[in-house]
Amino acid sequence: AAASVIGLGFAIGIAAMNALIPALVEPPDLDEAIALNSASFTLARAVGPALAGVVVAALGSAFAFGANAFTFLPLIVVLAVIRPRAVVRNQGDRSVRAGLRYTRAQPTMPWLILATLVVGWAGDPVNTLAPAYAEMFGRSEAFVGFQVASFGAGSAISSLFVGRIRSRMGLVRTTKTGLVLLALGLLGYAAAPNEAVVLVALFIAGVGFLLGVTTTNSNLQRRLDEDMRGRVMALWSMAFLGSRPIAGLLDGAVADLTNPRIGVLTAVVPLLAGWWAMGRVERLDHAQDKPGPERPEH
């Protein structure tokens, strides 16, 4: 019951915080703000489990849950003092169904959500299979933390440059570059002959992951009407986070039936669908920008 309540709060909170970002920054700063948000999320995933392991070992699980509850206090204080800029919203149909109809009616949005699902799926092996890799190389549990930290470091460092990359390449091409780097990192992870290559491969995968998740988010945010932002970003969150339990089950099952390396490779295959989806976005954008035939004069 407690886990269900936590999951409900997480689902609502992540969607709301993603929808809040554009109201906190000016439009030219949106990409950098989303990159910092994504990097902090990835770093927290890297640092949080390591700190939790130390606290659980020293003081027990109950104390760890209690301490984690208090980490929300700074967020509550920030939410109480910030003043988002005012946005104009229509008072029409505010149902979830209206959000789904809106998303389906926009040619590029379903493809962007599919690409988001793919990025979330491909980022799963670093969490699900890191313990199996530590065992495969005969290393202790500390190597699990090193793997997750290397992935998080790649994401954090790339967040400092994503704005420049996006300004030179555009959002769609930056997403496709991220998908390629994520695929190369996972392929290196699957074929790694030693621990050093594992960490380098995960660093590259972390770079690709950050580029992919940031630019799909930015691309979607820039296309949204304000009154639909929360509902569409909830779909984005569902695609990004909701794919991971399924990916974890599949990666783990394949790793059990074969070996962890094959389990990692199962996460590479969906990236092809992500590349195809972003190609669709690129073609649809090009078609919209293409001038129509001139009308004859009467």
Side-chain angles (χ1 to χ4, degrees), residues 2-253:
S4 298
V5 173
I6 292 170
L8 180 63
F10 190 75
I12 295 173
I14 289 294
M17 285 191 283
N18 271 298
L20 182 63
I21 292 173
L24 298 177
V25 299
E26 297 299 327
D29 299 323
L30 180 61
D31 294 332
E32 286 75 8
I34 292 173
L36 287 173
N37 183 63
S38 301
S40 66
F41 182 82
T42 305
L43 273 177
R45 288 201 314 148
V47 176
L51 290 177
V54 173
V55 174
V56 168
L59 300 170
S61 298
F63 188 92
F65 270 95
N68 191 40
F70 281 100
T71 64
F72 286 88
L73 288 177
L75 175 60
I76 294 171
V77 171
V78 168
L79 290 173
V81 300
I82 59 174
R83 294 293 180 266
R85 60 184 173 86
V87 295
V88 178
R89 291 185 174 86
N90 298 324
Q91 297 299 319
D93 187 353
R94 306 185 72 174
S95 66
V96 174
R97 288 191 299 274
L100 291 171
R101 287 196 300 269
Y102 174 83
T103 302
R104 288 198 301 268
Q106 310 301 315
T108 57
M109 285 188 186
W111 301 114
L112 287 169
I113 291 174
L114 174 59
T116 299
L117 184 150
V118 166
V119 173
W121 185 294
D124 175 77
V126 67
N127 293 314
T128 301
L129 300 179
Y133 261 71
E135 182 179 353
M136 185 172 67
F137 284 102
R139 300 295 297 268
S140 66
E141 293 179 356
F143 189 59
V144 176
F146 289 147
Q147 293 177 74
V148 178
S150 181
F151 185 85
S155 295
I157 292 174
S158 63
S159 69
L160 303 175
F161 306 101
V162 67
R164 299 179 198 173
I165 298 171
R166 193 270 312 164
S167 63
R168 292 186 178 183
M169 301 179 62
L171 284 170
V172 171
R173 290 185 179 179
T174 303
T175 304
K176 294 173 81 172
T177 300
L179 294 173
V180 170
L181 290 174
L182 186 49
L184 290 175
L186 291 177
L187 288 172
Y189 190 34
N194 54 54
E195 297 93 319
V197 176
V198 164
L199 298 181
V200 171
L202 287 176
F203 183 91
I204 295 171
V207 172
F209 179 83
L210 192 280
L211 293 179
V213 72
T214 298
T215 51
T216 54
N217 192 321
S218 296
N219 213 325
L220 201 59
Q221 294 267 26
R222 292 186 177 280
R223 299 167 190 263
L224 292 175
D225 296 327
E226 287 295 344
D227 53 323
M228 289 292 177
R229 191 176 299 280
R231 278 166 286 184
V232 176
M233 292 316 297
L235 293 175
W236 182 92
S237 300
M238 185 172 67
F240 179 56
L241 299 172
S243 63
R244 293 189 181 181
I246 302 172
L249 285 171
L250 181 61
D251 298 344

